[in-house]
Structures are given as structure tokens and as C-alpha cells.
Amino acid sequence: MKRQVPFTGHLVFIGFGSIARATLPLLLRQDHIDVEQITVIAPVVEQNIWFKERGIRFFRKALTEQTFAQILDRFVKPGDFIVNLSVEVSSLAVIAYAFDKGALYLDTCVEPWAGGYSDPQLDLSHRTNYALRYQVLDLRKKLGKGPTAVVAHGANPGLITHLLKAGLVELAVQLDHPLPENRNGVDWALLSMELGIKVIHFAERDTQRSHVPKEDDEFVNTWSVEGFVSEGSQPAELGWGSHERTWPASARRHRFGSRNAIYLERPSAGVLVKTWTPLGGPCVGLMITHHETASTADLLTVKEQRKLVYRPTLHYAYHPCNDALLSVHELIGRGWQMQTRQRILNGEIDSGGIDALGVLFMGHDLNAYWFGSLLSIDEARALVPFNNATSLQVAAGVLSGIVWAIEHPDRGIVEPEQMDHERVLEIARPYLGTLVGQRTDWTPSGAAHKSSVKGAADDWQFKHFTRF
Ligand code: NAD
């Protein structure tokens, strides 16, 4: 293992929710990070005794557009690290602030200020993650080189991009496809095209359950309820593949950017897609919108003289834990009005549940191949306190992003696609349970895999995934 660079600055966490609680115990285990130097800023800092006893300092305050710089000024100095694990605190504003201060930065999704996801002044195209990503890319152009700011680096978005690259390598090996020795030299788009991949799902299934069942008028989840409902209320998005022959109902193109992704005029938590994971095989997931939809669509696009040659269709397909699925169902029935009570499952989760988070590559000579992490609640609990299987996969993404940024402190704004996937996975690996690569004969239409090129392309049309 590469020797870890010691960090001597101050770590400033924004937010003390499920992911901050999951990540802090993980950070405390790193002997190259000094515990004395961690401060958490959040409006609510309940149940923090365990953390205080270990030297973490707390400052109870909400950051707003008007106050954030003044508050952060009290804690952040050049060389420090801001870890934004909050909801409703603008990533763009804090990235620009960190850049000015000479501080490093990481978040797990590109978050707008409160109300940004559902701003009635914005048209649907500008409420997508595609649009939020372009705000980040514009800021990157403006700021140029400077202190590293890792954006969208949890589990997904985040580790999923590194699992995508590792899975492509595994699949290439299985298909006897030549690979350069140095994995940094791989042209990922060309490799994906040469392997014949037509569709990619970031396919996740969570089977964690509690002995305290969801009640009426309650939203239950294994991570942020607010975060899940925000992204579930944004329009559904997908990277649009070059093999597609039918334009989906309610789909729209953006009028700006590379136009690698499209959006549906429907809330993403309301769009059902057939998918597959090693946990129980076929299932129906929600097409929740994510940053990686657009960023990996860029990574896997092949163009010749500005003309599109190849891109797989790609998006997230999420089967959350059963109670979360039921909560979404109830939320839709309530006209998207949030339930009165919210609960993030942790201590009350029964033994045995698993979060399967991986990448499902479809349409190649092995039909379909899933590569990713299978982590059980029992493994997560045994490894790090305050964690369930989902939060530990996210915390592993946060930890590996922090360590990578410390090792590469002058890269400016980076998305997961610009990071070295082998190094990131090396850091995250101890917290990911079993890494599994599994092939399947499954197709969305239920038809057996056809070997003819036309037949194979037909099986993997988007319409088959959404037809029930
Ligand atoms: P949570 O809802 O449990 O906690 C959110 C925290 O933000 C709370 O501590 C809250 O007090 C704090 N907060 C709210 N408003 C604030 C303000 N104005 N100033 C400072 N703090 C404020 O959320 P979580 O599950 O910990 O998730 C945190 C973030 O991580 C969310 O943006 C979520 O979408 C994201 N996330 C990403 C992934 C991934 O894999 N990339 C996975 C899970 C969560």
C-alpha cells in the first residue's frame, strides 16, 4: 500500500447527519490525521457525546447564503480541509470559498442552497443534475488550477465511477480483450465500445430492514430522507445511448452543454426501471437522478470529428430498502408532500440485510455482468460504529476522496472520473465487504440472449426496461 501523506491542517465538517456520523469514526482510525483538529458545524448536534469524548469540537449553527463565509472564517485557514456533508448548503459557494482560502474541499453531491432543487423560477432542464454539473464545470473553468476540490464523492456518485472502471477491466479480462498494462492509459470510452456494452445501470439493492416497521405518515430510509426526496423530486435523467432507436415518452434534450444526457418530464423517484443485482436477481428500481449519470456519460462517449460514434445508455436503478420503497409510494400518493415524521434506520436494523452497490454492464458477449460491493449490516457494524451497510459504503467514498485530495492537493475541481480509480479503491476497499463480479442471462424483456447483432441491440432498447 502507498504510504499515506500526513495531514496537519484542520478538518471542518459541515453537517452532522447520517453520513458525517458514519465518516468521523472512520477518519479517527487514520493515524495520519490528527483528531484534535476536527470541527463540526451543523444546526443540530444531538447525540454527539461519543464524538466529543474523542476530541471533536462542535459549533451549532446553520450556514446560509448570507452567513456562511463569516462562520467558516472562524474555523478555516489555508491548508485546511472543508468536508461538506450537509443538505441545503451550496456546494458551489463553499467550493469558491475554499479556493479563495487555499483550503481543500470535498462533498458527496452537488447541493444547491435551500429550495434550489424545486425553485419554481427554474425550468425543468435547469433543475437537473446535468445543469448542476455544468455550474461546477463553469466554476472549474473560471477558477482553474488551485487547491483540490473533489465533487460528488460518496458511494454513488463517487465510488461507483471507480467500480465502473474496475468492472470494465474485469469484463475485458473475461472477454479476452487486450488492455494496456498501465490502467491510467485506458481509453474507457473506446474500451466500453469495443466490449460491445449497450446499457449500464448503476444498480443498487438494499435489503436492510428494521424490526420497527414503517408507520403511516412516516418516511424511512437508510440515509438522508431529505437528500433522497430532493433527488427523487428532480427530473429523471439518463445518459442517452447511440444504439437507441425509440425516443422515450416525455423525454427532453437540454439546450446547453454536451447534451450527452437527456431528462424525462417526470420526478425521478416516480420512474420505474427493471434491473438486476446479485441480491435476489431481477428487481424493479427507481431511476433516481445522480451526478454520475452525466459525468460518466462524458467519460464513455466516443466522437469522431464532433460526430457521436458511441455512448451506452446509462443511469441509476435503485431498489432502496423495503420501507424506503413504501415511503416513496406513500409520498407519491400524498402528491409529493413530505410525511410528517422521518426516520433514518441504524441501530434498529435487524441482522442479515445487505446493500449491493454495483455496475451492471449489458449487451456484450457475456450478456450482462454486475460488478460491485456486497456489504452486510453485520459486517458494517463490526467494522465501524454508527454505521449501517449503506452509510459505510458512502463513508468509504468520503474517506478515500479525502485521502486522495490530501495526496493530490493542487488539482482544482475534480470529479471522480479524473481520479485514479485503483488508488481510491485501495483506500476504500476494507469497508466494501465482498467485491463481486457476476454474469447473468437476464434481459429486461425476459428474452434469452440473442447472438445476432440486431437481436442483441433490440434486447437492450430503453423501452424494454420501462415496459411492465
Ligand atoms: P442527513 O439528512 O442525515 O443530514 C444532513 C445534515 O445537514 C444534518 O446534520 C443537518 O443538520 C445539516 N444541515 C442542514 N442544513 C444545514 C445548514 N444550513 N448548515 C449546515 N448544516 C446543515 O444527510 P446525510 O444522509 O448525512 O447526507 C448528507 C449529504 O450526503 C446529502 O447531501 C446527501 O444527499 C449526500 N449523500 C450522498 C451519497 C453518495 O453516495 N454520494 C449517499 C448518501 C448521502
Side-chain angles (χ1 to χ4, degrees):
M1 180 184 287
K2 192 169 161 181
R3 201 181 68 80
Q4 295 189 324
V5 178
F7 179 69
T8 51
H10 193 154
L11 275 151
V12 179
F13 272 62
I14 307 174
F16 188 55
S18 75
I19 303 305
R21 286 165 189 274
T23 304
L24 285 163
L26 209 55
L27 264 184
L28 298 187
R29 298 165 138 222
Q30 312 299 313
D31 46 18
H32 60 301
I33 291 169
D34 189 349
V35 184
E36 295 293 313
Q37 314 221 332
I38 302 177
T39 300
V40 175
I41 308 171
V44 183
V45 288
E46 287 161 352
Q47 294 167 16
N48 62 344
I49 293 169
W50 186 94
F51 299 85
K52 272 176 118 173
E53 281 174 359
R54 281 153 185 83
I56 295 173
R57 285 177 294 178
F58 286 83
F59 185 68
R60 192 182 312 156
K61 204 81 182 169
L63 302 187
T64 66
E65 196 166 357
Q66 292 71 35
T67 62
F68 80 98
Q70 207 184 0
I71 295 171
L72 289 176
D73 273 348
R74 293 178 57 174
F75 303 99
V76 183
K77 308 224 162 9
D80 288 347
F81 203 132
I82 303 175
V83 184
N84 184 3
L85 298 179
S86 63
V87 294
E88 305 197 333
V89 174
S90 159
S91 294
L92 283 179
V94 184
I95 291 171
Y97 172 90
F99 191 90
D100 264 6
K101 270 275 164 184
L104 303 172
Y105 173 90
L106 175 138
D107 61 34
T108 55
C109 79
V110 179
E111 191 76 21
W113 288 115
Y117 285 123
S118 50
D119 184 347
Q121 312 280 0
L122 297 177
D123 61 23
L124 277 187
S125 164
H126 286 87
R127 285 182 40 207
T128 57
N129 279 309
Y130 178 94
L132 283 168
R133 175 170 184 253
Y134 268 96
Q135 291 180 16
V136 172
L137 298 183
D138 287 348
L139 186 65
R140 175 159 80 187
K141 243 186 246 159
K142 190 174 140 206
L143 296 178
K145 280 265 174 204
T148 299
V150 177
V151 295
H153 206 278
N156 54 328
L159 288 182
I160 201 74
T161 296
H162 309 300
L163 292 171
L164 168 84
K165 291 179 179 175
L168 279 172
V169 168
E170 290 291 324
L171 187 57
V173 170
Q174 300 218 6
L175 289 168
D176 255 341
H177 189 88
L179 284 165
E181 199 127 302
N182 175 2
R183 299 289 185 251
N184 289 326
V186 176
D187 181 328
W188 300 104
L190 214 54
L191 179 60
S192 180
M193 181 171 83
E194 287 169 0
L195 294 179
I197 295 164
K198 293 174 188 65
V199 180
I200 295 177
H201 282 181
F202 305 113
E204 176 172 8
R205 175 139 196 210
D206 181 354
T207 61
Q208 293 169 100
R209 65 176 75 199
S210 159
H211 50 271
V212 185
K214 168 187 148 27
E215 292 187 359
D216 281 351
D217 194 16
E218 183 186 35
F219 199 116
V220 174
N221 195 16
T222 49
W223 57 281
S224 179
V225 171
E226 260 183 279
F228 187 25
V229 171
S230 294
E231 62 188 27
S233 310
Q234 285 179 275
E237 296 180 72
L238 60 161
W240 190 236
S242 48
H243 71 291
E244 299 286 0
R245 290 198 285 266
T246 316
W247 188 246
S250 76
R252 294 284 176 270
R253 280 191 200 284
H254 297 281
R255 292 175 186 274
F256 59 97
S258 68
R259 300 178 190 212
N260 60 23
I262 63 174
Y263 65 98
L264 308 183
E265 289 181 319
R266 291 168 60 193
S268 70
V271 178
L272 303 181
V273 276
K274 297 177 201 170
T275 193
W276 188 97
T277 75
L279 263 192
C283 67
V284 174
L286 310 177
M287 211 175 103
I288 301 294
T289 180
H290 263 183
H291 188 92
E292 77 265 13
T293 303
S295 57
T296 54
D298 263 358
L299 180 77
L300 298 184
T301 295
V302 177
K303 283 190 174 174
E304 266 168 27
Q305 289 166 354
R306 302 173 68 191
K307 209 171 148 356
L308 177 66
V309 174
Y310 167 79
R311 182 186 307 120
T313 290
L314 42 83
H315 56 81
Y316 186 25
Y318 182 31
H319 186 311
C321 71
N322 288 352
D323 273 351
L325 207 51
L326 209 54
S327 304
V328 170
H329 199 67
E330 185 182 50
L331 180 74
I332 295 173
R334 296 163 59 99
W336 300 90
Q337 293 304 311
M338 178 70 105
Q339 284 91 331
T340 315
R341 278 162 299 124
Q342 300 159 13
R343 179 157 51 107
I344 299 181
L345 298 179
N346 206 320
E348 73 265 49
I349 296 176
D350 288 340
S351 167
I354 292 176
D355 200 322
L357 171 66
V359 186
L360 182 64
F361 303 94
M362 292 170 264
H364 47 78
D365 283 352
L366 292 180
N367 188 58
Y369 179 76
W370 188 95
F371 182 82
S373 147
L374 292 184
L375 180 68
S376 73
I377 177 69
D378 308 281
E379 288 170 293
R381 280 189 178 136
L383 282 165
V384 194
F386 301 105
N387 267 282
N388 60 39
T390 315
S391 69
L392 188 54
Q393 287 166 330
V394 182
V398 176
L399 172 74
S400 52
I402 290 175
V403 173
W404 188 90
I406 291 169
E407 290 172 356
H408 305 85
D410 56 1
R411 297 289 176 92
I413 295 177
V414 287
E415 295 177 297
E417 286 71 23
Q418 284 95 50
M419 296 161 73
D420 160 14
H421 78 281
E422 288 183 320
R423 176 63 184 140
V424 172
L425 286 179
E426 182 187 18
I427 303 159
R429 181 69 194 84
Y431 310 105
L432 297 180
T434 315
L435 277 194
V436 170
Q438 198 170 317
R439 71 164 295 274
T440 168
D441 281 334
W442 177 81
T443 64
S445 57
H449 173 53
K450 302 185 189 86
S451 53
S452 80
V453 172
K454 183 173 177 303
D458 263 354
D459 276 351
W460 305 109
Q461 293 290 302
F462 179 66
K463 62 182 181 187
H464 294 310
F465 291 88
T466 51
R467 188 180 286 158
F468 293 92

